[in-house]
Amino acid sequence: MGLRDWWKRVSAPAGATATGAAAAADEATRRPHVAVTLAEPSRDRPRWSKIGGAPYVAVGDELPPDDLLFVAQVDCADVPALDEVPLPRTGLLQFWVGRDDLHGLASGRFRVAYVADASRPARDDVPASGAVGPLVDDAAHAMRFELASECAGADAGGHRIGGYCGFAQTDPRTADDPMVSLLQLDSGACLQWGDTGIAHWFIRVADLRALELSRVVFHWDCC
């Protein structure tokens, strides 16, 4: 270390040194996630990544049960690769909740499904969800995805995949059973989970790689 560097070090204010150390510690907690934004509502298309509207159902396939409400669909090809959440690179992930007051939270009536081949013609008789349950309006809101990152302690709200999560109350996960965020959907312009709550679909990485979606954990809470 030269004389000039030594003098800068010993003459720097103590507060500046502490601030720098804290900033370095914060930066060490930075994690990537996929941020989800919504386009303006417009004409629904069956293969869209979207919130609300009608899910893609191929000709010849059955409609979902009446007691399930379609909430969201993710075209995996649209989502930037994220090591923490190893989504398939093709196909659709579809998310349903229960048609009850707690959206399937207490009853366990929800579903996450994977459609491996979305190239087949779509049925034209699939009803749109409408303004039911957590869906505020009857529009289909197309989703857009981009990589982002943040440090621990941030708000972690909004719609997202992976990374840190936001909670109205507490995180239901435990340290001995780590799960990643397959999808987080926040209350806002097109969704309302109770009193401004947040909904989550959690999955273990091994289950995601094997597409064992029956083991997804659905959770939402509100203020």
Side-chain angles (χ1 to χ4, degrees):
M1 179 185 296
L3 181 61
R4 186 189 301 270
D5 294 330
W6 174 84
W7 175 249
K8 287 181 179 179
R9 181 176 178 181
V10 298
S11 61
T17 303
T19 300
D26 288 346
E27 194 61 28
T29 69
R30 183 172 294 279
R31 289 173 63 187
H33 65 275
V34 175
V36 182
T37 56
L38 303 181
E40 289 296 319
S42 60
R43 183 175 178 273
D44 193 5
R45 295 178 183 173
R47 296 172 181 80
W48 263 2
S49 293
K50 58 189 173 181
I51 293 173
Y56 167 81
V57 180
V59 171
D61 289 352
E62 295 183 359
L63 294 175
D66 291 339
D67 62 348
L68 289 177
L69 174 70
F70 170 72
V71 172
Q73 177 174 281
V74 172
D75 183 342
C76 297
D78 291 344
V79 183
L82 188 66
D83 290 343
E84 177 185 311
V85 187
L87 295 179
R89 300 315 306 155
T90 59
L92 305 176
L93 283 172
Q94 297 177 329
F95 299 80
W96 285 271
V97 299
R99 289 181 180 269
D100 57 63
D101 291 344
L102 292 178
H103 316 314
L105 181 63
S107 66
R109 191 66 178 142
F110 68 92
R111 176 189 290 181
V112 179
Y114 176 61
V115 181
D117 180 9
S119 65
R120 294 178 292 162
R123 288 181 58 156
D124 59 8
D125 62 343
V126 182
S129 293
V132 181
L135 297 166
V136 172
D137 57 38
D138 59 2
H141 299 260
M143 292 195 283
R144 303 288 181 262
F145 307 93
E146 63 178 349
L147 280 175
S149 67
E150 65 189 1
C151 298
D155 174 65
H159 311 316
R160 58 176 59 200
I161 295 170
Y164 295 106
C165 297
F167 299 94
Q169 296 188 36
T170 58
D171 188 340
R173 296 172 293 179
T174 60
D176 60 349
D177 186 17
M179 292 181 283
V180 297
S181 174
L182 184 61
L183 182 64
Q184 171 179 299
L185 294 180
D186 205 344
S187 291
C190 65
L191 286 167
Q192 193 65 240
W193 301 96
D195 183 9
T196 62
I198 306 180
H200 306 270
W201 288 263
F202 296 118
I203 192 168
R204 300 166 186 89
V205 172
D207 290 337
L208 179 55
R209 292 188 188 278
L211 291 174
E212 291 286 351
L213 300 179
S214 64
R215 291 168 59 83
V216 167
V217 172
F218 172 59
H219 173 83
W220 70 271
D221 60 14
C222 62
C223 300

